[in-house]
Amino acid sequence: MLETMKNLGQITSSSKEKYATKILRFTIGSISAFTIMYWMHAASIPVMIELPKRVPGVRMQGIRTKIYHSQWLQIFPCLKAMVHVVKDGNRGSITSARQSSIELLNVDDQLRVGGIVKARIISRNAAGQRKSYGGDFFYVILRPSGSDSDGVTCEISDEMNGSYIVSCIMPWTGKTKIEAVLIHPSESLYQLMKRYSSEKGFRIHQRTTMLNSKNETEATACSIGFPDKRPDELCDYTNPTHGEKRTCVKPPSGECPKIILYQKKVIERRPRETHHDHLYCNEDNYMTRISGSGIEISVRNYKRAATANSYTTGNLSFISLDPMRPSGWLKGGKWNSFKTDRSFGHDIATLKACLSHKKLHFFGDSTARNLYSHIVKSLKIKDYGLNNSVAWSRGRDGTSSKLNMTIQYRSHGPPLNNPGPEDARPYMSDSFDAIRVGGKGTVVVFTIGYHFHYFDPDAYLRRLKIIKQAVISMLERLPGARVIVKGLHYHWEYGFGRSPWLTYKFVTMLRHEFRDVTGAVYMEHWDYTLLRNNSGVHPEREIFLGTFDILMTHLCLL
């Protein structure tokens, strides 16, 4: 079975679906509670995963079947097990934060600095009944008592039976509290999976202006795809070089003319969903502390010489597939990395020392552009793309003869939910292809994900695979060049449709896809921004500078 699961990732998507469907029918048809083998890429060892027993009345059909067989879900075996059994629209089955609880598993003598404190979360519904399946989305943070900003994130292992094992490293001594929060019940995650499961995007599209053969402008809607439309109603604007899918509804002329301008995304009218959203996003099941959260422990000093732990890697190239696994901790407002004990900050002298003689490229959305802009402004570099730009997504270039450096920004291709002309949103694979000169000192920093939130995650996964091949080609073409994969940061904005889980899902996929690319380094900062309780897609200045410091550590140590 292990070989079967490994081989599924190597065959074509069409044959993969047929092959996987046959396996699923065989296993479900033979036994009710079955075991699958899942290949853990981080450790390269097989792990047995026992799927929960099927729940009476839950049928694998329609949207549930589509989600269950989606490619992205294979990266999340615990969620896949949950999708198999979760009830839909049953108020009584939804996890309750007030009824769920966390309890310590360690004895006092084991609570020593550098060690691991373990706890168990038991998930229960509003009636106090223990859940029989997993998939709930929690975060757990270890914080010094009296502080709401310092701390370290904890790993959470889903046992897929309503029980979760929490592991927290203890980097300091003294009074410490364990903060445990239910972000979303499993039932809410399933609703989010259903909502964002289309190539069209959830009730959005991008209004687009075209120029037809009569030199007339026409307006229409564009997106990744329109599953509800017939082929003859659509125009195919797929990227000819690498195959990134792009589709538009035919304008009134019936032609498929040249696109001249993308306007801002259009939020389509939708019926009120207040009751539905409140059912899955309320004071008892969204961003709410569970029973036992805040329990205090006393961390003692370790008298013997400190020993290494699994978190202290000393290696910037190490990628954890779990964003909740800590890459460092905050103490006194200062970030302390588990990957390196060196910190460079963001003062001008450091910037000059680290960035001299480099060719820097920033690819991605506005979060990548903000990093580019901060460097340009700090070092007073001439920005040649700013004055004539009609949109923030327009490409920008800067040079400094004193520092012997160049710097560039390019946005990523559609979906990009901001206005601008067609040439202002190149596909990232083409931007990597365009780098023909370089080598040692050439560094590309890229990020992508936030503009994909409303779409089927498989569309995002396909885009990552295309970008990955372009990255590998560039690294082979330019020996000595390096790539920094800037992960997505934690953020929340209240409402069921704008969930931290959407970003968590994508950041996990991004880590998974680039875990084994030689020459590429993953920049972790999900845990940093979670500890800082970042709320927006664009962090406040203090959090932005903390993220920039993490980037500078990577740039200075390359």
Side-chain angles (χ1 to χ4, degrees), residues 136-204:
D136 295 315
F137 186 37
F138 298 94
Y139 75 70
V140 179
I141 295 175
L142 201 65
R143 295 193 188 276
S145 294
S147 172
D148 291 323
S149 56
D150 291 343
V152 63
T153 59
C154 305
E155 288 188 274
I156 303 173
S157 176
D158 188 345
E159 298 191 304
M160 295 189 292
N161 59 5
S163 173
Y164 304 79
I165 300 299
V166 177
S167 302
C168 310
I169 186 172
M170 297 174 282
W172 57 77
T173 60
K175 296 292 185 181
T176 302
K177 62 182 178 181
I178 301 176
E179 177 183 305
V181 172
L182 173 64
I183 303 178
H184 280 306
S186 52
E187 294 77 15
S188 297
L189 296 192
Y190 180 56
Q191 297 302 316
L192 289 170
M193 291 180 199
K194 291 197 303 178
R195 175 174 286 190
Y196 303 112
S197 61
S198 172
E199 284 188 338
K200 179 187 174 295
F202 179 69
R203 290 176 176 159
I204 67 165

Side-chain angles (χ1 to χ4, degrees), residues 4 28 112 122 125-126 141 143 146 212 222 454 524 540:
T4 298
I28 294 180
R112 297 183 179 275
I122 299 297
N125 61 23
I141 295 175
R143 295 193 188 276
N212 64 27
C222 293
Y454 295 100
E524 295 186 88
E540 295 179 358

Side-chain angles (χ1 to χ4, degrees), residues 200-212:
K200 179 187 174 295
F202 179 69
R203 290 176 176 159
I204 67 165
H205 66 264
Q206 192 150 40
R207 186 173 175 82
T208 306
T209 302
M210 298 175 166
L211 188 65
N212 64 27

Side-chain angles (χ1 to χ4, degrees), residues 24 27-28 31-36 49-52 54 68 84:
L24 179 68
T27 52
I28 294 180
I31 48 179
S32 58
F34 60 98
T35 302
I36 65 172
I49 294 179
E50 185 74 20
L51 293 184
R54 294 186 65 183
Y68 189 84
H84 180 65

Side-chain angles (χ1 to χ4, degrees), residues 472-484:
I472 293 173
S473 295
M474 188 210 71
L475 292 173
E476 291 175 346
R477 184 171 64 248
L478 304 175
R482 292 291 181 265
V483 172
I484 297 175

Side-chain angles (χ1 to χ4, degrees), residues 11-51:
I11 56 181
T12 64
S13 60
S14 59
S15 59
K16 179 193 299 183
E17 184 176 351
K18 295 177 182 177
Y19 192 35
T21 302
K22 291 180 180 179
I23 294 174
L24 179 68
R25 288 173 179 169
F26 171 77
T27 52
I28 294 180
S30 302
I31 48 179
S32 58
F34 60 98
T35 302
I36 65 172
M37 299 292 288
Y38 176 74
W39 191 257
M40 297 296 290
H41 298 280
S44 296
I45 57 173
V47 178
M48 303 296 291
I49 294 179
E50 185 74 20
L51 293 184

Side-chain angles (χ1 to χ4, degrees), residues 49-85:
I49 294 179
E50 185 74 20
L51 293 184
K53 293 182 179 180
R54 294 186 65 183
V55 176
V58 174
R59 300 182 62 188
M60 290 288 291
Q61 61 182 7
I63 187 65
R64 188 188 296 266
T65 301
K66 178 182 184 296
I67 294 171
Y68 189 84
H69 290 295
S70 59
Q71 294 182 34
W72 74 270
L73 198 62
Q74 314 314 310
I75 301 171
F76 302 85
C78 296
L79 290 183
K80 184 172 183 178
M82 178 269 289
V83 168
H84 180 65
V85 298

